[in-house]
Amino acid sequence: MAGGGWWWLAALWLAGAEPAGEGGPGRRPPHDHARGFAYDHEAFLGAEGAREFEALPPAESRRRLGLLAGLMDGDGDGAVTAAELGAWLRRRRQRGLAESLSRGRARWDGDGDGALAWPEYRRQAYGHDEDFGDVADAAKYRRLVARDERRFRAADGDGDGTVTGDELAAFLQPEEFEHMRLVVAAETLEDMDKDGDGYVQVDEYIGDMYAGEPGAPEPSWVQTEREQFGLFRDLDGDGRLDAAEIAHWLRPPAADPAQAEAQHLLHEADADQDGQLTKEEILGKWNLFVGSQATSYGEDLTRPHDEL
């Protein structure tokens, strides 16, 4: 990657991408669709995967969603319960994590020995071991390297300078590991803290998810997010979020992301409010399900059913 190759990767960093995390840590609970399904598709499928899904004819995607509804119904009684939906989501999640980890190993473990050392990662990600002295915006690149190294050191549990197995997974997918929650919170704080005061104010919180026209009324979901900020995010009531509050927001203690998503889907799709979903109710919320973990954010609709 010497020469021009590393510039592409560095440009992704400056644009807000996360090379280490195959898309980077998610900042919002999986049931938060405030930014819409198009955002979900790109965030969780990647731009290429989203385009592939969009190419699937709606009638065919509905047909396949109907088939998936049968697979979610574990006991075959014609209704998908919260427990069944949660179990399905956990299976989808684990498969997605395994695939992401496999891609990460192939991308960063250049010598294929299963152990990723910090110098090896830095060379793969940035092209050289030097200090960017002859590069425009060198200070930005140095910050990015320091940020990556902080994540690497946190993941390197035995401190031997390499990450293997679960350590490598923690480096590539830190949002999935409890002991990495403060690192993820620090990265999120750095991204959202536009005025550099070390906190996230409510306007910074909203600005990270919505940019409206000056003077235009905010959509109702933005008003709801403002209320959520005060009621549930700002735990000490001082009008801003510190790193600990961000960590609690991103990964609440004892939270089960799959079950939280299951409850969200039930809330949105359970038309008769009986606590379970029929095939008709699932198809009635087609856009919701093809933009959720129930179908790996649409990806499962393009897979052969014997892979599910």
Side-chain angles (χ1 to χ4, degrees):
M1 292 180 67
W6 71 275
W7 280 98
W8 173 80
L9 210 52
L12 285 179
W13 273 98
L14 292 181
E18 298 272 6
E22 285 291 320
R27 290 181 181 170
R28 298 174 180 79
H31 59 278
D32 183 352
H33 293 295
R35 299 185 75 175
F37 300 135
Y39 173 82
D40 285 342
H41 288 169
E42 292 215 3
F44 294 95
L45 282 175
E48 182 178 353
R51 287 193 295 269
E52 290 176 1
F53 173 71
E54 288 167 1
L56 195 65
E60 175 62 10
S61 67
R62 287 178 183 273
R63 183 188 73 82
R64 296 191 189 189
L65 180 58
L67 295 174
L68 292 182
L71 295 178
M72 295 178 206
D73 180 13
D75 59 11
D77 67 352
V80 178
T81 65
E84 289 172 330
L85 185 54
W88 172 269
L89 293 169
R90 277 185 284 276
R91 290 197 299 272
R92 302 304 87 187
R93 182 181 181 88
Q94 288 303 312
R95 188 182 67 194
L97 291 175
E99 291 173 349
S100 177
L101 182 56
S102 178
R103 291 193 300 270
R105 286 196 182 102
R107 184 176 184 181
W108 302 118
D109 182 15
D111 58 16
D113 66 351
L116 181 64
W118 169 248
E120 180 183 11
Y121 170 77
R122 175 168 172 153
R123 284 193 300 271
Q124 291 286 333
Y126 295 97
H128 54 67
D129 297 317
E130 299 176 9
D131 199 30
F132 307 107
D134 58 348
V135 175
D137 294 324
K140 291 183 180 180
Y141 291 114
R142 293 186 191 112
R143 285 196 297 270
L144 293 174
V145 171
R147 175 167 160 157
D148 257 8
E149 186 170 10
R150 178 181 60 197
R151 185 193 289 192
F152 188 96
R153 302 304 177 195
D156 180 15
D158 59 12
D160 68 351
T162 64
V163 289
T164 62
D166 285 346
E167 292 177 335
L168 179 59
F171 176 55
L172 297 175
Q173 301 163 336
E175 68 278 8
E176 299 300 326
F177 291 82
E178 173 63 27
H179 70 282
M180 299 292 288
R181 66 197 300 259
L182 292 181
V183 171
V184 175
E187 293 178 1
T188 303
L189 176 58
E190 289 163 1
D191 288 341
M192 299 179 72
D193 178 21
K194 303 306 182 186
D195 63 10
D197 68 349
Y199 299 91
V200 173
Q201 317 293 336
V202 64
D203 286 339
E204 292 171 329
Y205 172 82
I206 295 298
D208 188 61
M209 63 183 75
Y210 172 74
E213 294 294 328
E218 292 180 337
S220 60
W221 69 262
V222 175
Q223 293 296 329
T224 299
E225 284 295 329
R226 288 189 182 276
E227 294 171 4
Q228 295 283 317
F229 182 94
L231 293 172
F232 302 112
R233 311 280 187 251
D234 179 16
L235 300 178
D236 61 9
D238 67 353
R240 59 190 187 180
L241 305 184
D242 59 21
E245 288 169 321
I246 291 172
H248 188 278
W249 161 41
L250 296 178
R251 190 182 176 95
D256 181 344
Q259 205 59 45
E261 174 73 355
Q263 292 296 336
H264 166 68
L265 293 172
L266 274 170
H267 175 76
E268 295 294 330
D270 185 12
D272 60 9
Q273 297 296 300
D274 66 348
Q276 54 190 3
L277 298 177
T278 64
K279 175 180 175 180
E280 290 71 24
E281 287 174 324
I282 291 172
L283 290 176
K285 288 290 186 176
W286 172 75
N287 283 335
L288 175 70
F289 279 89
V290 298
S292 81
Q293 285 182 335
T295 55
S296 295
Y297 298 89
E299 185 177 10
D300 285 347
L301 300 181
T302 65
R303 293 177 182 265
H305 291 297
D306 60 3
E307 294 183 10
L308 300 172

